[in-house]
């Protein structure tokens, strides 16, 4: 068992353990906390629909990672929610493009809840009948998404912007695609991706390393060595389509303007991510001249905002909001980006935004939930605990300017609009 | 953990929670005004309008840059529901000075900025600037219109309005279009002055003990006001006949919302028993509703019951296939009947209790949740801490749960349906 301790700027520590079972365990004890938050995650999400298993190429229906997440809660003898009911923990799970995670938060009976988490995720049980039962439930989850214009405007944008990258397909799949899911396909996915070498356990809050390891030693079954090939999709640098439109019952048109960032590795570096956040704020936060100008012209309202969104094999800038004239917002953003690329980031503005970034990174350490999420995300991206804050301190204006030349080019953009009927 | 409560004067309280476990300090100011159709839109516009500037930092850009400099501090400006009152809320979140770089602390400056936003807006000829008012009115109107975008929230709001028709509780938190359209700079300025002078105020600080003197000095700025108490809550009862409302829209899924009334309200001896009863019915992923409507019959993705226990109002909502709405409604009512008749196991009850107790305990480890607990409790709330409620929930008996559940009466059913019914 290899154990390493990392110090954070708050004076707290994170302990990383490579458990003999193959699982990496991260524990972030928070002094004075009663509650704890645990995440058991795998590097497996909706984008992983083609893979090799025992030398055989397998292609699975869209939405299967999310379906598997639902079905794993049901073991042969009992539903995991019912087991958690006896501990009082609040349990849940989520599937994203590139991760699936099972989680609970609790203020009491931590060890019992952790035992349940480690147990049910390691015990898949899929039959024709149980798989069938979930069609109705997930069908309604998909229908709920179909009626959500914020989701539609984003997923339409992804579908138009990406040409081959599977982030262009909705995480939950469609009512049609999930109807092809069988127990055999679920087992294929499970035994490929739910190998402890491909997973992480991240715990934060009122816990000790010893407490977590005692349960882990008892519950984890040694995993076979794993060779997983997750190649980068051969995605062109330019956006597939520069425009996509749809209609739904909405009050005013919703828009999502995305800019695809070219990827040279599976994940961006910490520096890339931080630079992207600074760029986003220079361009579109309420402290930017563009925000003020667009607000004065009545082209945006306070729902407008820019974010940076990245994961395994993808990264993008998103500028979203509600506007009577989304094309005018797009034009204004393109002009602003061009000007920023020419001038570079203002030194004083850069210094302010770096302080702001530092403060926001520290805020993530406030709660057990955000602490555990941060540990898991950074682990999957190959970053040590605390690395992002160090990278923030080392950031220079040149880091921003260099990236401005590669990112946010007009040909990398897609404007998605959802208009009322 | 219990806040230390200082009464600055009658109707003005400062709740202090010294706590060194967090990296960020929170300072929240809340003015309480009665929810009323004639004023709700005006009042809801005040926090974001004040957030637009002060004389020292007269624009959103200037404030934004100042907040960036203060380690990305944030000032949220919003309106929250505190039963039949609006809580006009400005909350500052600022990096604790222990983590400031090179000895450049931020809390005092950030608190000063919050004070200036409240007391020293950039007025022109004694009133708010016309361009600020215009932009804020447009944002408010667009936000009201955009209610339709989120179908679940839209349906819940519609059911709430049906449930508490003609009571202040049914007034939309952000007001209505017709009223917001009439709001002028003069109206807003008068409202701001009135709120500063007369609205009950609750100020909360949660953060490092070193920040307490700064927060306390801030709270003391609210002394010497003429506070008007809030009116008591309207006591409502279920309608004699169940009201049914169906709205049609171009949607795929049916939003089904049931509204229930109960005579168990604020101060009633069964108040906490009702809280537990609703948790058992539909507050968890092992509740009667979840285990049956979702898990047993696969009718939905979510089916939850949420209670405004002080008001004696409960909503049960679910998103279902349109042609299964009747089946889902029947199953929800069947589970409600099971709750009322005690057709559940002791384990079911204890599981609900454990879940609720766990949640109540977790408030203490989330600064924002803890502060919000006291904001929505409001000045006419009972002032109990999550820990107080926890003790009370521990003592609730099965008989009390049954007695509380028996008072639940179906009052209305709201459905949002696709235009062409799929049958």
């Amino acid at each position: 068992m290899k154990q390493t301790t990392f110090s954070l700027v708050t004076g707290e520590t994170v302990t990383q353990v490579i458990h003999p079972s193959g699982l990496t365990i991260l524990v972030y004890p928070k002094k004075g906390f009663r509650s704890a938050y645990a995440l058991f995650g795998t590097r497996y999400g909706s984008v992983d629909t083609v893979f090799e298993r025992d030398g055989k190429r397998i292609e699975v229906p869209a939405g299967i990672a999310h379906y598997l997440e639902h079905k794993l809660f049901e073991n042969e003898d009992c539903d995991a929610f019912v087991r958690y009911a006896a501990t009082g923990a609040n349990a849940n799970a989520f599937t994203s493009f590139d991760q699936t995670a099972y989680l609970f938060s609790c203020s009491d009976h931590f060890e019992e809840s952790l035992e349940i988490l480690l147990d049910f995720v390691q015990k898949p049980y899929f039959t024709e009948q149980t798989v069938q039962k979930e069609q109705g439930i997930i069908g309604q989850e998909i229908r709920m998404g179909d009626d959500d214009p914020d989701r539609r405007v984003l997923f339409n944008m992804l579908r138009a912007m990406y040409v081959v990258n599977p982030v262009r397909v909705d995480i939950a799949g469609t009512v049609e695609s999930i109807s092809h899911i069988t127990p055999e396909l679920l087992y294929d996915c499970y035994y490929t991706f739910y190998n402890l070498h491909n997973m992480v356990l991240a715990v934060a809050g009122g816990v000790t390393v010893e407490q977590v390891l005692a349960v882990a030693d008892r519950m984890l079954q040694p995993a076979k060595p794993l060779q997983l090939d997750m190649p980068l999709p051969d995605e062109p640098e330019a956006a597939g389509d520069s425009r996509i439109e749809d209609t739904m019952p909405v009050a005013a048109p919703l828009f999502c303007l995305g800019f695809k960032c070219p990827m040279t590795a599976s994940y961006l570096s910490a520096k890339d991510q931080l630079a992207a956040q600074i760029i986003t704020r220079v361009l579109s936060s309420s402290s930017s001249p563009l925000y003020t100008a667009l607000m004065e012209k009545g082209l945006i309202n306070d729902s407008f905002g820019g974010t940076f969104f990245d994961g395994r094999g993808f990264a993008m800038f998103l500028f979203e909001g509600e506007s009577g004239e989304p094309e005018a917002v797009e034009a204004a953003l393109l002009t602003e980006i061009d000007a920023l690329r020419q001038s570079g980031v203002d030194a004083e503005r850069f210094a302010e935004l770096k302080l702001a970034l530092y403060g926001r990174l520290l805020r993530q350490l406030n709660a057990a939930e955000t602490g555990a999420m941060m540990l898991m995300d950074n682990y999957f991206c190959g970053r040590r605990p605390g690395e992002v804050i160090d990278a923030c301190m080392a950031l220079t204006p040149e880091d921003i300017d260099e990236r401005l030349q590669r990112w946010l080019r007009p040909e990398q953009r897609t404007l998605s609009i959802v208009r009322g009927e | 953990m219990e806040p230390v409560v200082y009464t600055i004067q009658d109707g003005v309280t400062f709740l202090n929670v010294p706590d060194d476990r967090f990296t960020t300090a929170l300072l929240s100011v809340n003015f309480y005004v009665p929810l009323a159709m004639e004023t709700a839109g005006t009042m809801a516009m005040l926090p974001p309008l004040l957030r637009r500037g002060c004389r020292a930092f007269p624009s959103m850009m200037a404030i934004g840059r100042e907040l960036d400099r203060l380690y990305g501090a944030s000032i949220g400006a919003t309106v929250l529901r505190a039963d039949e009152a609006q809580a006009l809320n400005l909350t500052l979140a600022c990096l604790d000075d222990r983590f400031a770089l090179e000895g450049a602390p931020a809390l005092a400056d950030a608190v000063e900025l919050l004070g200036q936003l409240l007391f020293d807006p950039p007025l022109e000829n004694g009133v708010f600037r016309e361009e600020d008012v215009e932009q804020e009115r447009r944002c408010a109107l667009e936000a009201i219109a955009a209610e339709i975008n989120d179908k679940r929230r839209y349906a819940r709001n519609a059911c709430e309005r049906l449930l508490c028709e003609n009571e202040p509780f049914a007034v939309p938190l952000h007001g209505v279009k017709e009223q917001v359209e009439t709001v002028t700079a003069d109206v807003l300025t008068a409202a701001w002055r009135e709120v500063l002078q007369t609205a009950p105020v609750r100020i909360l600080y949660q953060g490092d003990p070193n920040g307490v003197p700064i927060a306390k000095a801030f709270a003391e700025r609210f002394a010497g006001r003429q506070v008007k108490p809030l009116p008591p809550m309207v006591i409502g009862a279920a309608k004699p006949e169940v009201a049914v409302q169906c709205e049609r829209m171009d949607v795929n899924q049916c939003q089904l919302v049931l509204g229930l009334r109960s005579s168990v309200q604020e101060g009633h001896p069964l108040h906490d028993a009702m809280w537990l009863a609703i948790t058992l019915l539909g507050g968890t992923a092992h509740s009667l509703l979840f285990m049956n409507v979702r898990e047993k019959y696969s009718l939905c993705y979510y089916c939850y019951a949420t209670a405004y226990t002080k008001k004696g109002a409960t909503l049960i909502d679910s998103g279902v296939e349109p042609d299964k709405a009747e089946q889902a409604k029947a199953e929800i009512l069947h589970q409600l009947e099971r709750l009322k008749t005690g057709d559940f196991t002791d384990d079911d009850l204890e599981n609900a209790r454990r879940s609720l107790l766990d949640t109540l305990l977790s408030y203490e480890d989330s600064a924002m949740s803890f502060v919000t607990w006291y904001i929505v409790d409001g000045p006419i709330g009972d002032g109990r801490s999550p820990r107080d409620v926890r003790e009370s929930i521990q003592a609730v008996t099965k008989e009390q749960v049954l007695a509380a559940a028996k008072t639940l009466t179906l009052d209305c059913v709201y459905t949002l349906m696709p235009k062409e019914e799929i049958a």
Side-chain angles (χ1 to χ4, degrees):
Chain A
M1 185 143 51
K2 194 181 159 209
Q3 191 162 327
T4 321
T5 301
F6 300 92
S7 298
L8 302 180
V9 65
T10 52
E12 299 166 307
T13 58
V14 174
T15 300
Q16 177 170 320
V17 177
I18 301 177
H19 192 263
S21 61
L23 183 68
T24 295
I25 301 173
L26 292 154
V27 187
Y28 175 18
K30 303 277 301 167
K31 201 176 147 218
F33 272 56
R34 173 79 187 246
S35 61
Y37 193 92
L39 280 162
F40 192 13
T42 168
R43 196 185 274 117
Y44 168 56
S46 68
V47 297
D48 301 298
T49 50
V50 182
F51 54 90
E52 275 197 14
R53 177 163 154 72
D54 301 331
K56 199 173 73 183
R57 183 179 183 275
I58 298 179
E59 191 165 350
V60 291
I64 195 165
H66 172 250
Y67 210 94
L68 174 50
E69 173 229 298
H70 271 241
K71 286 327 301 173
L72 210 49
F73 274 92
E74 209 168 334
N75 287 164
E76 186 165 5
D77 44 352
C78 189
D79 180 300
F81 283 125
V82 175
R83 296 176 66 189
Y84 277 122
T87 71
N90 190 350
N92 211 334
F94 65 83
T95 307
S96 68
F97 288 116
D98 58 347
Q99 302 172 357
T100 310
Y102 303 82
L103 59 97
F104 70 84
S105 63
C106 69
S107 306
D108 218 340
H109 308 291
F110 167 74
E111 279 125 329
E112 291 96 313
S113 294
L114 183 61
E115 194 171 313
I116 296 167
L117 176 68
L118 297 185
D119 187 46
F120 85 83
V121 175
Q122 291 184 92
K123 280 192 189 153
Y125 176 72
F126 313 126
T127 67
E128 286 294 344
Q129 195 195 355
T130 62
V131 171
Q132 189 56 38
K133 191 200 91 172
E134 211 68 15
Q135 298 276 349
I137 297 171
I138 298 182
Q140 287 314 309
E141 191 177 358
I142 292 172
R143 288 273 179 247
M144 180 174 81
D146 288 344
D147 285 338
D148 178 351
D150 292 319
R151 190 179 167 95
R152 178 92 62 95
V153 77
L154 172 67
F155 279 88
N156 279 355
M157 196 286 291
L158 293 170
R159 197 170 72 240
M161 185 160 82
Y162 282 96
V163 180
V164 293
N165 192 318
V167 294
R168 63 193 306 279
V169 180
D170 195 316
I171 294 165
T174 63
V175 172
E176 201 280 326
S177 77
I178 64 167
S179 71
H180 302 294
I181 291 172
T182 63
E184 293 70 35
L185 289 172
L186 288 174
Y187 279 118
D188 278 335
C189 294
Y190 181 86
Y191 286 113
T192 304
F193 296 103
Y194 283 67
N195 177 303
L196 294 182
H197 293 280
N198 193 45
M199 299 178 75
V200 68
L201 172 67
V203 185
V207 294
T208 64
V209 177
E210 293 70 32
Q211 256 181 312
V212 176
L213 290 183
V215 180
D217 288 344
R218 203 163 63 237
M219 300 305 297
L220 295 173
Q221 310 295 325
K224 284 191 230 161
L226 176 74
Q227 187 69 46
L228 248 185
D229 191 23
M230 292 176 160
L232 264 183
D234 192 15
E235 177 71 30
E237 285 204 4
D241 289 310
S242 60
R243 177 72 63 85
I244 181 166
E245 291 211 17
D246 210 339
T247 54
M248 279 180 90
V250 290
L254 300 183
F255 68 90
C256 173
L257 175 63
F259 287 82
K260 172 164 68 174
C261 298
M263 301 292 290
T264 52
S266 289
Y267 293 99
L268 292 184
S269 68
K271 193 181 268 187
D272 281 334
Q273 263 195 348
L274 296 167
Q277 287 179 47
I278 291 217
I279 292 171
T280 309
R281 292 189 72 83
V282 170
L283 287 170
S284 63
S285 74
S286 66
S287 45
S288 70
L290 180 70
Y291 184 98
T292 303
L294 293 174
M295 191 64 114
E296 279 171 2
K297 287 181 190 152
L299 287 172
I300 56 167
N301 57 32
D302 47 15
S303 68
F304 177 75
T307 48
F308 187 70
F309 175 40
D310 68 320
R312 174 161 42 93
F314 65 89
M316 67 198 84
F317 289 87
L318 300 172
F319 300 96
E320 298 169 280
E322 205 184 28
S323 176
E325 296 174 64
E327 296 87 350
V329 178
E330 179 189 37
L333 260 161
L334 287 174
T335 306
E336 192 73 8
I337 290 165
D338 194 44
L340 182 63
R341 190 175 286 134
Q342 309 271 337
S343 67
V345 64
D346 174 74
E348 193 186 340
R349 194 72 193 105
F350 170 80
E352 288 166 0
L353 287 169
K354 189 167 150 176
L355 288 177
L357 199 52
Y358 167 80
R360 277 202 304 277
L361 288 171
L362 254 72
R363 203 186 287 186
Q364 289 182 351
L365 306 178
N366 257 342
E369 177 177 350
T370 47
M373 284 294 296
M374 183 195 65
L375 291 181
M376 183 174 82
D377 282 343
N378 283 329
Y379 172 75
F380 282 144
C381 296
R383 293 174 204 143
R384 68 174 162 75
E387 184 177 332
V388 179
I389 292 179
D390 293 347
C392 173
M393 300 317 290
L395 210 58
T396 66
E398 292 71 37
D399 292 325
I400 312 297
D401 293 342
E402 187 265 315
R403 282 160 183 84
L404 274 169
Q405 300 307 317
R406 287 188 278 132
W407 293 343
L408 292 162
R409 308 190 70 84
E411 67 275 15
Q412 294 166 339
R413 83 185 191 283
T414 298
L415 176 64
S416 166
I417 304 172
V418 168
R419 294 184 200 275
E421 282 143 341
Chain B
M1 187 168 50
E2 303 278 335
V4 184
V5 182
Y6 298 87
T7 303
I8 304 289
Q9 70 166 80
D10 210 20
V12 181
T13 49
F14 171 48
L15 282 75
N16 182 28
V17 193
D19 192 333
D20 64 1
R21 298 175 303 154
F22 303 110
T23 53
T24 308
L26 291 179
L27 181 64
S28 178
V29 195
N30 301 276
F31 298 90
Y32 295 88
V33 294
L35 250 177
M37 205 56 104
E38 308 74 50
T39 53
T42 311
M43 293 302 178
M45 277 172 72
L46 273 181
L49 181 65
L50 292 170
R51 172 68 177 73
R52 280 181 167 267
C54 54
R55 275 196 300 164
F57 300 97
S59 67
M60 287 184 83
M61 194 157 79
I63 291 170
R65 290 191 64 165
E66 174 68 357
L67 290 171
D68 284 339
R69 185 183 74 77
L70 299 169
Y71 305 100
S74 66
I75 296 179
T78 187
V79 55
L80 297 167
R81 172 188 284 286
D83 299 308
E84 287 179 342
Q86 287 171 297
L88 313 183
N89 164 277
L90 280 105
T91 298
L92 164 74
C94 179
L95 184 71
D96 199 277
D97 286 343
R98 285 173 298 162
F99 306 109
L101 297 171
E102 291 159 24
L107 186 64
D109 284 1
V111 170
E112 177 56 28
L113 175 60
L114 178 65
Q116 289 185 21
L117 292 177
L118 280 171
F119 296 111
D120 196 15
L123 305 179
E124 267 173 17
N125 306 318
V127 295
F128 285 110
R129 294 178 302 197
E130 198 52 55
E131 66 265 29
D132 285 341
V133 171
E134 229 171 75
Q135 284 179 29
E136 214 43 67
R137 188 171 44 226
R138 180 176 62 79
C139 286
L141 288 169
E142 288 175 5
I144 289 170
E147 187 198 17
I148 192 183
N149 292 6
D150 181 343
K151 305 298 179 284
R152 184 177 179 188
R153 197 185 55 174
Y154 177 85
R156 286 180 61 95
N157 287 348
C159 187
E160 251 174 46
R161 285 162 206 167
L162 191 58
L163 182 65
C164 300
E165 224 169 4
N166 303 321
E167 293 172 40
F169 200 84
V171 174
L173 193 58
H174 293 90
V176 292
K177 175 174 171 270
E178 294 70 22
Q179 194 262 323
V180 172
E181 278 170 343
T182 66
V183 174
T184 61
D186 286 337
V187 169
L188 282 161
T189 311
W192 167 64
R193 293 192 194 284
E194 172 82 11
V195 163
L196 276 192
Q197 240 347 275
T198 67
V201 179
R202 194 170 262 204
I203 301 141
L204 297 113
Y205 171 77
Q206 178 155 23
D208 189 70
N210 290 321
V212 170
I214 298 173
K216 203 155 179 249
F218 175 82
E220 276 155 6
R221 293 178 72 170
F222 293 84
R225 304 160 75 245
Q226 269 125 33
V227 174
K228 281 190 206 156
L230 289 176
M233 193 123 64
V234 173
I235 304 296
K239 298 180 204 23
E241 266 183 51
V242 177
V244 176
Q245 190 181 332
C246 175
E247 204 171 336
R248 291 195 180 267
M249 213 183 269
D250 188 9
V251 292
N252 294 289
Q253 190 178 48
C254 161
Q255 300 293 327
L256 168 67
V257 196
L258 276 64
L260 313 176
R261 291 300 284 251
S262 157
S263 53
V264 175
Q265 296 169 359
E266 166 102 84
H268 192 286
L270 290 173
H271 177 272
D272 293 346
M274 180 62 95
W275 200 337
L276 182 54
I278 298 298
T279 306
L280 168 60
L281 175 65
T284 69
H286 42 81
S287 66
L288 299 177
L289 291 174
F290 195 91
M291 291 312 288
N292 290 283
V293 186
R294 171 173 149 143
E295 290 298 313
K296 188 169 172 190
Y297 296 105
S298 303
L299 287 168
C300 63
Y301 172 62
Y302 65 87
C303 185
Y304 286 106
T306 33
Y308 303 95
T309 49
K310 289 184 201 165
K311 178 71 185 165
T314 297
L315 295 187
I316 299 173
D317 74 330
S318 187
V320 298
E321 203 56 43
D323 62 352
K324 292 190 175 156
E326 275 306 313
Q327 188 192 346
K329 187 181 111 187
E331 190 51 38
I332 289 169
L333 292 175
H334 173 58
Q335 296 306 322
L336 177 63
E337 206 46 39
R338 284 186 61 199
L339 177 77
K340 289 174 160 194
T341 55
D343 180 16
F344 51 82
T345 66
D346 288 348
D347 272 353
D348 291 335
L349 178 63
E350 290 317 308
N351 289 341
R353 192 196 310 266
R354 244 187 313 271
S355 173
L356 184 52
L357 293 176
D358 198 280
T359 304
L360 287 164
L361 203 54
S362 72
Y363 276 93
E364 299 189 358
D365 288 344
S366 162
M368 196 51 105
S369 307
F370 196 68
V371 163
T372 305
W373 169 281
Y374 286 98
I375 296 173
V376 299
D377 182 49
I380 58 167
D382 53 23
R384 293 190 301 168
S385 67
R387 200 162 274 223
D388 294 334
V389 176
R390 208 173 173 267
E391 271 174 33
S392 163
I393 295 286
Q394 268 164 336
V396 170
T397 64
K398 184 174 180 180
E399 289 65 38
Q400 289 170 321
V401 167
L402 280 175
K406 282 194 168 73
T407 67
L408 287 166
T409 310
L410 181 66
D411 177 275
C412 58
V413 180
Y414 172 89
T415 46
L416 180 64
M417 280 286 195
K419 274 185 181 157
E420 297 294 325
E421 195 167 348
I422 309 157

